[in-house]
């Protein structure tokens, strides 16, 4: 599925089957998810640079922190211990969903905010009832995509200290041009997506972590967690949190040193802090460019590429 | 404006002008907010019990804690000091918005979760640009309504301790049957709604707090806070947090003792804890009924009544 830019706020749905694109008959992906009608009519022209995020706005975005390795590193870098409960009780926040960036939109912000990217896997669900089991949650997964969960690192500590989660420190994020039916993904095991999440910063490999490794909580577990006390509407997006791999049970190494690298700058800074006492890599500055994509075993780009450049506010 | 139950998830918009109701031509309130088209055609029949929340689902619900008195009491009851910054930096969380209860829907939950109501004022905005000023935010307010922000008190401490805000502890909330243009509200001063928020629990007056008093942050301030780092889409709902009045500079008294009472059970329990060392009033149990409404100076019900009964899961 792809959503092409058009006049309305929800774009125009295009569906690919057997290598050719056609327009969705119901207009938008949200309506297709609401009605279950993914019918098509008329050949569509789809180019990545004309794509919006598959859901240009959504009724819900819940982002987990499923790669607990990442969470442990955050804590370690600031000398705090991670509660043992974090290994069996998912960390998740209610994210803003009222307007996502297109995959090629600039990231506009004040560099003093500490702008960072986070490479993630995300799923779009159908309706999920309150109290749904893990199996019901698994059956509700409709589409898989990639996410750049933009984070404003210098605003996070102050905001989290207030105790109510993120508002200002998590601005609009972006998703990959294409959202894909998991049944057609060879790397999908029903709960996790196996494959290397490629992240390049300014043309250099920054992250090559395997999204199927070290994911403590799989998507059905995250969805069931979210649905414990309420129904989830069709079109709910659930994110994995920053993809992060361990190396021999410890923190990873940069790609340039033969490691799997990192899916966000903050994690590289944590490793630097743990190693040398201080971070070295700066957060994003105007002109910096981040690209996020995943290839299948044949080297084909599965979801298209999130390709964003930072612009000053 | 009212949204009547119909087959689709977004209901059918009805608009009242000069005392008579007509159907909105664009179908749903969200589309009217997106397009600015509030045109009507054909007389509509509107009964409160057939109303959904004005936006049955929304792209965004941001809930403030604008009555800082309430926040101070929460802290005081657990023996903690409130940071001085809370008086000038609004507390706000990203709430679930993918499915709101109708104003007369039951509240379904496990009584062990500690089910509570929270009587609030809420506004619906038009589009707001990133970095909007307070004046721009004020001009973006389209509609005013009441909210019952259902809260699961026994799940909150564990969830907030994880540091990422509310997910499971804030289930679906409900809004008043009618959302009203602020220009037609005599109690609206451009930033706050003056008037007594009536809350009855099982037929007895529980809260009679004035929503225009002790609201430290007005709506334009809350909206500008939310828009600091991102655009807000049309149809964003911003809540005030639990309405709460001081009494002579200190905590209030129950309505039965001549006070303004409370807009949630938790606050009454805090007052009990401060006074006697332990809470006395239980949270909601199956069969309990909460009613929330506001009358104008002539005694006319402005927004219709949120009227909900608790049912066990």
């Amino acid at each position: 599925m792809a959503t092409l830019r058009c006049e309305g706020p929800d774009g125009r749905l295009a569906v690919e089957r057997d290598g050719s694109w056609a327009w969705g008959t119901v207009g938008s992906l949200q309506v297709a998810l609401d009605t279950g009608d993914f019918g098509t009519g008329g050949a569509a022209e789809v180019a990545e640079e004309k794509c919006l995020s598959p859901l240009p706005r959504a009724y819900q975005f819940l982002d987990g922190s499923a790669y607990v390795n990442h969470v442990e590193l955050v804590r370690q870098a600031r000398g705090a211990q991670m509660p043992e409960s974090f290994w069996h009780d998912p960390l998740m926040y209610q994210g803003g969903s009222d307007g996502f960036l297109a995959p090629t939109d600039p990231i506009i912000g004040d560099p003093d905010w500490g702008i960072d990217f986070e490479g993630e896997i995300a799923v779009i669900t159908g309706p999920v009832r309150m109290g749904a089991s893990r199996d019901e949650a698994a059956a509700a997964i409709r589409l898989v995509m990639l996410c750049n969960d933009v984070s404003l690192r210098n605003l996070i500590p102050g905001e989290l200290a207030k105790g109510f989660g993120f508002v200002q420190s998590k601005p609009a994020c972006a998703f990959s041009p294409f959202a894909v039916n998991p049944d057609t993904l060879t790397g999908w095991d029903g709960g996790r997506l196996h494959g290397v999440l490629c992240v390049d910063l300014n043309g250099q490999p920054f992250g090559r972590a395997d999204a199927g490794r070290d994911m403590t909580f799989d998507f059905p577990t995250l969805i069931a967690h979210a649905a414990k006390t309420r129904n989830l509407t069709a079109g709910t997006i659930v994110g994995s949190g920053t993809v992060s791999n361990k190396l021999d049970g410890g923190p990873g190494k940069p790609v340039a040193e033969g490691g799997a690298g990192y899916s966000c700058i903050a994690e590289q800074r944590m490793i630097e802090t743990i190693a040398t006492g201080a971070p070295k890599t700066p957060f994003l500055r105007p002109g910096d460019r981040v690209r996020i994509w995943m290839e299948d075993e044949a080297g084909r780009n599965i979801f298209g590429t999130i390709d964003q450049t930072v612009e000053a506010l």
Side-chain angles (χ1 to χ4, degrees), chain A residues 73 199-201 204-209 245-247 250-265 267-273 275-276 280-281:
Chain A
L73 283 174
V199 181
D200 275 12
L201 176 59
Q204 299 299 314
F206 192 88
R208 294 293 184 270
N245 285 170
K246 292 190 184 194
L247 184 68
K253 281 197 296 191
V255 177
E257 296 171 20
Y262 312 101
S263 305
C264 65
I265 294 175
E267 192 163 316
Q268 177 147 321
R269 287 168 59 94
M270 289 171 221
I271 305 284
E272 291 162 357
T273 302
T276 71
K280 193 177 68 179
T281 311

Side-chain angles (χ1 to χ4, degrees), chain A residues 29-260:
Chain A
L29 178 55
Q30 181 63 51
V31 176
L33 289 159
D34 284 339
T35 59
D37 182 354
F38 286 89
T40 53
E45 225 176 290
V46 172
E48 287 190 35
E49 65 274 15
K50 292 189 178 160
C51 288
L52 301 174
S53 284
L55 288 169
R57 54 182 184 175
Y59 291 107
Q60 183 153 253
F61 173 40
L62 292 160
D63 200 13
S65 279
Y67 299 83
V68 178
N69 177 47
H70 169 80
V71 183
E72 204 171 31
L73 283 174
V74 180
R75 302 270 171 155
Q76 200 183 332
R78 63 170 200 247
Q81 255 202 322
M82 191 182 74
E84 195 276 333
S85 63
F86 278 35
W87 290 104
H88 49 82
D89 179 30
L91 198 56
M92 178 177 278
Y93 70 90
Q94 187 90 38
S97 60
D98 66 311
F100 298 124
L101 301 176
T104 53
D105 270 350
I107 299 168
I108 299 172
D110 182 338
D112 287 346
W113 292 340
I115 304 168
D116 197 1
F117 54 84
E118 289 193 355
E120 307 194 359
I121 314 299
V123 300
I124 301 177
T125 75
V128 182
R129 69 168 185 92
M130 188 196 305
S133 68
R134 211 189 142 281
D135 283 353
E136 287 175 283
I141 296 172
R142 297 280 180 277
L143 295 163
V144 181
M145 56 189 176
L146 309 182
C147 176
N148 179 11
D149 181 38
V150 180
S151 296
L152 304 177
R153 300 293 179 193
N154 296 343
L155 303 187
I156 288 179
E159 195 157 50
L160 291 194
K162 290 159 69 180
F164 275 17
F166 309 96
V167 177
Q168 295 179 335
S169 49
K170 289 277 186 184
C173 58
F175 293 89
S176 53
F178 311 135
V180 180
N181 182 336
D183 299 340
T184 68
L185 290 167
T186 53
W188 181 253
D189 70 6
R192 294 173 180 83
L193 180 64
H194 299 266
V196 173
L197 185 71
C198 299
V199 181
D200 275 12
L201 176 59
N202 295 327
Q204 299 299 314
F206 192 88
R208 294 293 184 270
D210 190 317
R213 272 186 48 202
D214 301 321
M215 189 185 186
T216 306
F217 305 106
D218 66 6
F219 282 106
T221 303
L222 294 175
I223 295 165
H225 177 85
K228 184 184 170 187
T229 61
R230 50 177 165 152
N231 303 316
L232 310 181
T233 201
T236 289
I237 299 172
V238 176
S240 67
T242 308
V243 174
S244 175
N245 285 170
K246 292 190 184 194
L247 184 68
D248 304 326
K253 281 197 296 191
V255 177
E257 296 171 20

